[in-house]
Amino acid sequence: MGEFKDRAKGLANEAAGNVKQAVGKATNNPRLEGEGIAQERKGEVQNAKGKVKGALGDRV
């Protein structure tokens, strides 16, 4: 069960990060763009965590 929760959170963070990056670039706001990159990376890690949980059967 935790696998799907982690993957869903990861995908949501990746999407939000991509939006922040785009808005940061469009408005020439490097701080917002940096926040977007960090949030996207966080989402990638959460997604990977969910994949590992799925492979190991939630024993992580």
Side-chain angles (χ1 to χ4, degrees):
M1 183 66 112
E3 166 193 4
F4 298 111
K5 187 176 180 181
D6 285 332
R7 292 185 75 185
K9 283 183 178 180
L11 290 173
N13 273 318
E14 283 185 59
N18 283 327
V19 169
K20 282 185 179 180
Q21 285 180 62
V23 171
K25 285 180 184 177
T27 60
N28 197 24
N29 184 338
R31 183 186 63 80
L32 187 59
E33 190 176 347
E35 286 178 14
I37 291 169
Q39 189 167 5
E40 183 182 6
R41 297 297 177 260
K42 178 182 176 182
E44 290 170 355
V45 169
Q46 284 175 318
N47 198 2
K49 180 180 171 185
K51 287 180 181 179
V52 169
K53 279 185 176 182
L56 298 178
D58 288 339
R59 287 177 280 197
V60 177

